[in-house]
């Protein structure tokens, strides 16, 4: 039997297909039902209003939305925080600004890497502190 501590309450439990204890699973289901009931009555509620009325954390409500358990399609004011900066969004994990910044940073890193490969003079292995070596074929270029 595989035992572990519940990350939510800290109690020891026999691990199953979920990583939280049965008591916390039951609590989460009750929180979900509270949120669902409130949203059925108040279709124009924001995530802050739902949290205040149900005493369910914004983090847990966001988790319900990301899991697809709470639909924001029928709730026009329901938005959840961007994972990076916290600005409220309606889809995805990041706002447009953070997604754009990530794209620019990745493009810049790719350009730096390709420029670094063109300037390598150490038998194609790169001049950095770490080199990649395929143990079957030799240095990776």
């Amino acid at each position: 039997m595989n035992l572990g501590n519940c990350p939510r309450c800290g109690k020891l439990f026999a691990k199953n297909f979920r990583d939280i204890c049965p008591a916390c699973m039951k609590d989460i289901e009750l929180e979900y039902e509270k949120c669902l009931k409130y949203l059925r009555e108040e279709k124009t509620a924001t995530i802050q209003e739902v949290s205040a009325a149900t005493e369910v954390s914004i983090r847990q409500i966001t988790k319900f939305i990301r899991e697809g358990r709470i639909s924001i399609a029928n709730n026009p004011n329901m938005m959840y925080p961007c994972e990076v900066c916290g600005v409220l969004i309606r889809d995805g994990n990041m706002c447009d600004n953070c997604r754009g910044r990530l794209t620019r940073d990745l493009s810049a890193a790719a350009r730096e890497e390709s420029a670094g490969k063109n300037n390598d003079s150490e038998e194609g292995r790169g001049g950095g502190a770490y080199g990649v070596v395929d143990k079957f074929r030799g240095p990776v270029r």
Side-chain angles (χ1 to χ4, degrees):
M1 179 168 21
N2 196 6
L3 297 176
N5 289 69
C6 177
R8 194 161 190 239
C9 69
K11 292 180 183 175
L12 188 66
F13 75 105
K15 285 189 173 184
N16 51 21
F17 65 97
R18 301 281 306 256
D19 287 337
I20 58 174
C21 71
C24 286
M25 281 178 38
K26 186 176 179 181
D27 290 345
I28 289 172
E29 288 306 310
L30 291 173
E31 289 177 347
Y32 170 69
E33 291 298 325
K34 278 189 206 177
C35 292
L36 213 53
K37 182 180 178 194
Y38 184 79
L39 283 169
R40 283 185 188 131
E41 296 168 2
E42 301 291 332
K43 295 231 181 255
T44 59
T46 64
I47 196 166
Q48 291 85 0
E49 293 169 345
V50 175
S51 178
T54 61
E55 297 180 351
V56 176
S57 70
I58 289 177
R59 184 177 183 181
Q60 185 62 53
I61 296 169
T62 301
K63 191 172 180 183
F64 291 146
I65 293 169
R66 288 204 173 113
E67 290 172 347
R69 297 181 76 189
I70 290 180
S71 171
I72 61 173
N74 298 328
N75 303 88
N77 296 331
M78 182 63 81
M79 296 169 28
Y80 54 94
C82 166
E83 286 184 0
V84 178
C85 69
V87 72
L88 295 177
I89 56 176
R90 285 192 55 85
D91 64 350
N93 294 328
M94 287 187 274
C95 65
D96 291 337
N97 289 337
C98 291
R99 191 176 306 116
R101 186 173 40 243
L102 178 63
T103 302
R104 284 190 304 274
D105 290 348
L106 287 172
S107 296
R111 279 193 304 272
E112 286 176 13
E113 185 175 324
S114 66
K117 284 183 181 180
N118 291 340
N119 294 334
D120 286 346
S121 61
E122 243 188 294
E123 298 176 21
R125 288 184 14 189
Y130 300 101
V132 178
V133 176
D134 184 334
K135 65 182 186 180
F136 298 106
R137 295 187 205 146
V140 176
R141 296 175 196 214

